[in-house]
Amino acid sequence: MNRADVEKLFDYCQILESMISRQGWQFLINHHSYLVLFEINKGSERFDCESLEEFIFEVESHIDSLPI
């Protein structure tokens, strides 16, 4: 999954037409890293974050809220 695909996915999540599962997040984090996902997020604004640390917190909180 390239960066453009991830940005599209984030865009679809933002308008509630898609959802990323726990396993999906683990794949994205392992494949791209939090830093790259944070940079992608700047384009799609899936999460409203000013810093990498804030982004990591938001993503981990979101993952924790997902059904097991």
Side-chain angles (χ1 to χ4, degrees):
M1 183 171 252
N2 65 40
R3 291 173 72 123
D5 290 338
V6 175
E7 187 168 347
K8 276 188 207 174
L9 177 60
F10 281 7
D11 289 343
Y12 282 122
C13 289
Q14 190 170 348
I15 59 173
L16 304 175
E17 291 189 8
S18 187
M19 184 181 126
I20 303 170
S21 68
R22 288 175 179 263
Q23 296 83 2
W25 276 111
Q26 289 308 313
F27 170 80
L28 291 173
I29 293 163
N30 291 335
H31 188 73
H32 291 285
S33 80
Y34 278 109
L35 178 59
V36 172
L37 294 174
F38 174 64
E39 291 170 358
I40 293 169
N41 183 68
K42 288 179 185 178
S44 75
E45 298 179 355
R46 166 71 173 97
F47 295 97
D48 184 23
C49 301
E50 298 291 322
S51 69
L52 176 59
E53 293 78 19
E54 187 179 359
F55 176 76
I56 292 170
F57 177 81
E58 291 294 329
V59 169
E60 289 179 351
S61 295
H62 177 72
I63 292 169
D64 288 344
S65 75
L66 294 171
I68 295 176

